[in-house]
């Protein structure tokens, strides 16, 4: 896998994340200039986890993203296809039910979760449409999905500056702070090739989700999508 626009082979992507697992959260904090913390707070508000609800956090990695749901009293399942990420997460949060799983073939029964969420992981799943259908399948009727993903800034001058950062500044910074800088070259390329906000909203509707809406964070660098299962 040399470019993000080519087919994403699951074992290659999983291996890439295995390699960066130990310093993954710190590296993200540096490369996003601390914005990732704000984005995760917005995800937590959108998911609105309640005590005793069951929450699936797909592409949870080390389960940093899962902690707000657990603190709210929900039963949260962090799921990821990178065993390296899961090992680091289990070491840091040994009480959580970490689960290995592929987003296109989730290891859960139908209609299990009150809410499903995925942050910065949908781009890494080989078949996006199938992943959205799988998330729909495992959600209870009346349940919700929240997707937080890199997107495309809406203001053209800002978009130009951002794309320059992605392709010129991010790789050298990644070389300084990451154990696998190629993973962050992949990150930059995958962001550029990812569908825009309206296209992803349409993909959610096609997968069966209703009342689909989205809003931009940080000028559209990130978009938060939400939908419901009828």
């Amino acid at each position: 896998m040399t470019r993000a626009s080519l087919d994403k082979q699951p074992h290659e992507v999983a291996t890439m994340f295995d390699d960066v697992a130990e310093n993954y959260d710190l590296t993200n904090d540096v490369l996003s200039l601390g914005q990732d913390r704000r984005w995760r707070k917005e995800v937590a508000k959108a998911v609105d986890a309640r005590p005793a609800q069951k929450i699936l956090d797909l592409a949870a990695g080390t389960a940093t993203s899962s902690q707000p749901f657990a603190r709210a009293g929900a039963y949260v399942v962090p799921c990821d296809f990178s065993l390296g990420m899961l090992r680091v997460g289990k070491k840091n949060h040994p009480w959580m039910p970490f689960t290995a799983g592929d987003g296109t073939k989730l290891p859960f029964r139908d209609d299990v979760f009150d809410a499903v969420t995925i942050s910065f992981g949908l781009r890494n799943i080989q078949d996006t449409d199938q992943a959205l259908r799988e998330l729909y399948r495992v959600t209870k009727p009346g349940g919700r999905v929240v997707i937080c993903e890199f997107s495309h800034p809406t203001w053209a001058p800002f978009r130009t500056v951002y794309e320059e950062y992605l392709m010129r500044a991010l790789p050298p910074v990644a070389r300084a702070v990451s154990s696998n800088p190629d993973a962050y070259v992949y990150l930059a390329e995958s962001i550029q090739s990812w569908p825009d906000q309206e296209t992803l909203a349409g993909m959610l509707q096609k997968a069966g989700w209703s009342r689909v809406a989205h809003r931009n964070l940080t000028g559209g660098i990130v978009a938060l999508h939400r939908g419901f299962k009828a």
Side-chain angles (χ1 to χ4, degrees):
M1 182 175 63
T2 56
R3 293 190 64 83
S5 56
L6 301 180
D7 285 342
K8 297 181 283 288
Q9 297 303 314
H11 69 279
E12 293 180 332
V13 178
T15 299
M16 180 181 69
F17 280 100
D18 290 347
D19 290 344
V20 301
E22 285 290 345
N23 296 317
Y24 182 71
D25 294 320
L26 174 61
T27 303
N28 285 348
D29 209 25
V30 171
L31 294 178
S32 71
L33 307 177
Q35 286 294 300
D36 61 317
R37 299 181 192 184
R38 178 186 165 231
W39 299 333
R40 294 194 189 283
K41 286 180 181 177
E42 293 299 325
V43 171
K45 285 195 287 187
V47 171
D48 191 24
R50 302 295 175 88
Q53 285 188 334
K54 293 180 180 177
I55 310 290
L56 172 63
D57 188 11
L58 184 57
T62 61
T64 297
S65 57
S66 306
Q67 299 315 302
F69 315 134
R71 286 195 293 269
Y75 177 79
V76 55
V77 178
C79 181
D80 204 286
F81 69 170
S82 166
L83 296 181
M85 287 285 193
L86 295 174
R87 288 189 195 101
V88 172
K90 193 67 174 177
K91 182 171 65 176
N92 295 334
H93 311 290
W95 62 89
M96 300 198 77
F98 286 88
T99 303
D102 182 338
T104 64
K105 301 185 292 271
L106 291 173
F108 307 107
R109 292 178 287 109
D110 296 357
D111 306 331
V112 172
F113 296 101
D114 297 284
V116 294
T117 183
I118 180 170
S119 294
F120 308 110
L122 194 58
R123 287 172 299 104
N124 301 321
I125 298 177
Q126 189 174 36
D127 187 335
T128 305
D129 291 318
Q130 176 61 18
L132 295 175
R133 288 192 294 269
E134 275 291 274
L135 287 170
Y136 185 87
R137 178 183 67 78
V138 302
T139 302
K140 294 178 181 179
R144 58 208 180 275
V145 63
V146 174
I147 296 171
C148 183
E149 188 52 270
F150 289 110
S151 198
H152 300 274
T154 54
W155 189 45
F158 179 48
R159 184 166 59 244
T160 300
V161 171
Y162 174 61
E163 289 178 352
E164 285 291 307
Y165 169 74
L166 279 179
M167 300 314 297
R168 295 179 183 271
L170 188 147
V173 173
R175 279 193 290 272
V177 298
S178 172
S179 56
N180 184 357
D182 286 345
Y184 291 89
V185 174
Y186 163 82
L187 170 70
E189 293 177 346
S190 67
I191 291 170
Q192 286 197 318
S193 63
W194 184 245
D196 64 17
Q197 291 89 322
E198 293 294 342
T199 302
L200 181 55
M203 293 168 73
L204 276 158
Q205 291 170 332
K206 183 180 176 184
W209 297 97
S210 62
R211 294 158 55 197
V212 172
H214 71 270
R215 63 187 178 92
N216 293 317
L217 304 177
T218 319
I221 287 178
V222 165
L224 205 61
H225 285 71
R226 185 174 63 182
F228 294 86
K229 181 171 179 176

